[in-house]
Amino acid sequence: MPVDLLNPTPEAEARTHKLKRLVQSPNSYFMDIKCPGCFQITTVFSHAQTVVVCGSCNVVLCQPTGGLAKLTEGCSFRKKVD
């Protein structure tokens, strides 16, 4: 089955390594997390390496893992746009 190397599908482009893509782009991003208790919005890095706590009510928003930070139950998030 022939594959077009100059025009890959978006699914194939997302699966490839970040340095082997047609245009290099990182896998990480910043995101806004809304606290389930006080609804305050906190900006967090997607691959955070420390526990992130809400500034006003001290609720844990996300836990670090080996890669992406794991959000706690009830937290909603959205990717930040430039």
Side-chain angles (χ1 to χ4, degrees):
M1 183 166 127
V3 178
D4 188 6
L5 296 177
L6 291 178
N7 300 310
T9 61
E11 297 84 23
E13 192 74 2
R15 280 181 289 158
T16 58
H17 189 268
K18 64 181 180 179
L19 295 177
K20 297 194 183 228
R21 294 182 185 142
L22 210 53
V23 176
Q24 294 180 6
S25 61
N27 295 329
S28 56
Y29 49 90
F30 286 94
M31 55 186 171
D32 286 332
I33 298 179
K34 189 186 289 185
C35 177
C38 64
F39 301 109
Q40 181 180 357
I41 294 177
T42 307
T43 302
V44 177
F45 188 58
S46 64
H47 292 68
Q49 295 182 346
T50 59
V51 175
V52 178
V53 191
C54 179
S56 60
C57 62
N58 291 332
V59 173
V60 175
L61 297 176
C62 66
Q63 294 279 344
T65 60
L68 286 172
K70 182 178 180 183
L71 294 178
T72 56
E73 198 73 25
C75 289
S76 58
F77 79 98
R78 70 172 180 214
K79 287 186 180 180
K80 264 198 120 73
V81 183
D82 295 332

